[in-house]
């Protein structure tokens, strides 16, 4: 059984025109055994690609808090802890971390 895509009426599999609304019914795509393996493989690779891209977003979970806390401390004129600077150097941005370590907190 298949259903009309326009009105949802139940149709026989051979139907070309919907008996409910009169619109032409799309023929179901023929299953191609040769392409199925490729389809499954491409789906798997696409999903893997999504997961790989997702991992790239993970550093944001610690990059953003480190950056925000350093920015807040600098705005308030509070000293930025050495640990925080090293974290910034290692996890956020090497040049930014080195500059922070070079910067004197005493003004
Ligand atoms: Zn219909």
């Amino acid at each position: 059984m298949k259903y009309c895509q326009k009105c949802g009426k139940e149709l026989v599999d051979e139907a070309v025109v919907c008996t409910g609304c009169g619109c032409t019914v799309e023929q179901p795509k023929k299953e191609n055994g040769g392409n199925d393996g490729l389809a499954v493989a491409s789906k798997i690779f696409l999903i893997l690609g999504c997961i790989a891209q997702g991992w790239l977003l993970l550093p944001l979970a610690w990059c953003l808090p480190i950056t925000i806390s350093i920015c807040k401390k600098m705005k308030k004129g509070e000293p930025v802890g050495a640990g925080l600077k090293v974290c910034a150097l290692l996890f956020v941005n090497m040049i930014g971390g080195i500059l922070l370590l070079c910067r004197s907190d005493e003004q």
Side-chain angles (χ1 to χ4, degrees):
M1 274 300 177
K2 63 181 181 181
Y3 297 89
C4 173
Q5 290 191 325
K6 292 267 166 62
C7 67
K9 188 179 164 68
E10 207 173 10
L11 304 165
V12 291
D13 285 333
E14 298 78 33
V16 183
V17 176
C18 172
T19 52
C21 64
C23 67
T24 52
V25 178
E26 278 181 42
Q27 293 300 311
K29 280 163 195 151
K30 281 173 192 164
E31 285 185 24
N32 191 329
N35 278 338
D36 252 13
L38 276 177
V40 170
S42 64
K43 273 183 208 164
I44 289 168
F45 277 104
L46 286 174
I47 290 164
L48 284 176
C50 289
I51 292 166
Q53 303 282 332
W55 281 107
L56 290 176
L57 288 175
L58 208 66
L60 279 178
W62 59 80
C63 281
L64 279 177
I66 290 171
T67 305
I68 289 167
S69 62
I70 288 173
C71 287
K72 273 185 183 170
K73 277 179 194 265
M74 286 199 289
K75 208 174 183 180
K76 287 180 196 164
E78 290 173 15
V80 181
L84 204 58
K85 287 176 182 175
V86 173
C87 280
L89 188 148
L90 289 175
F91 300 119
V92 184
N93 184 284
M94 197 172 272
I95 294 166
I98 290 166
L99 290 175
L100 276 173
L101 285 167
C102 293
R103 178 178 169 271
S104 169
D105 285 323
E106 292 136 45
Q107 278 151 354

